[in-house]
Amino acid sequence: QVQVVESGGGLVQPGGSLRLSCAASGSIFRINMMGWYRQAPGKQRDLVARITSGGSTNYAESVKGRFTIARAANMVYLQMNNVKSEVTAVYHCYASIRSTWSASPYDYWGVGTQVTVSS
């Protein structure tokens, strides 16, 4: 059994900061890519940022310079600074994990954490 669980969402004012955390746990052999997607109401789920096991990162153009993704052990973090109203969405963590009982990696998703930007 492998689980991915997010935490850290909530209400933040425009221009404020928020840090999301995600923990992968269970029968993990290796974690490859980890990342964050977000889904606003009525919209598709879009990539926010992702990070490889070697530390290489990719960001959506709209968050470059304001968001930072980092990982340590089985955790991945998303530091969001100078947030804008369009940041409001459900943020989902995902991890490409090879479990101890599989020869191939699979993508595991968390249920999401709500981030709301409002004054």
Side-chain angles (χ1 to χ4, degrees), residues 13-117:
Q13 292 186 342
S17 297
L18 199 64
R19 187 191 194 213
L20 305 182
S21 300
C22 172
S25 63
S27 303
I28 296 171
F29 178 77
R30 181 188 299 122
I31 302 177
N32 300 319
M33 187 83 75
M34 301 185 83
W36 293 92
Y37 279 69
R38 66 187 177 191
Q39 187 166 19
K43 295 187 176 181
Q44 67 181 21
R45 188 177 295 187
D46 291 325
L47 173 70
V48 178
R50 59 188 178 187
I51 183 168
T52 68
S53 57
S56 297
T57 58
N58 290 104
Y59 294 91
E61 283 296 323
S62 61
V63 306
K64 283 183 178 178
R66 297 185 295 116
F67 289 15
T68 302
I69 189 170
R71 63 185 284 178
N74 290 358
M75 302 287 296
V76 64
Y77 307 94
L78 185 68
Q79 177 66 43
M80 303 186 292
N81 296 328
N82 189 23
V83 298
K84 303 177 181 179
S85 59
E86 57 263 34
V87 168
T88 295
V90 176
Y91 284 71
H92 296 270
C93 173
Y94 93 98
S96 176
I97 297 174
R98 179 185 167 188
S99 63
T100 56
W101 40 266
S102 174
S104 300
Y106 291 93
D107 286 348
Y108 291 86
W109 292 84
V111 298
T113 184
Q114 176 71 46
V115 173
T116 302
V117 180

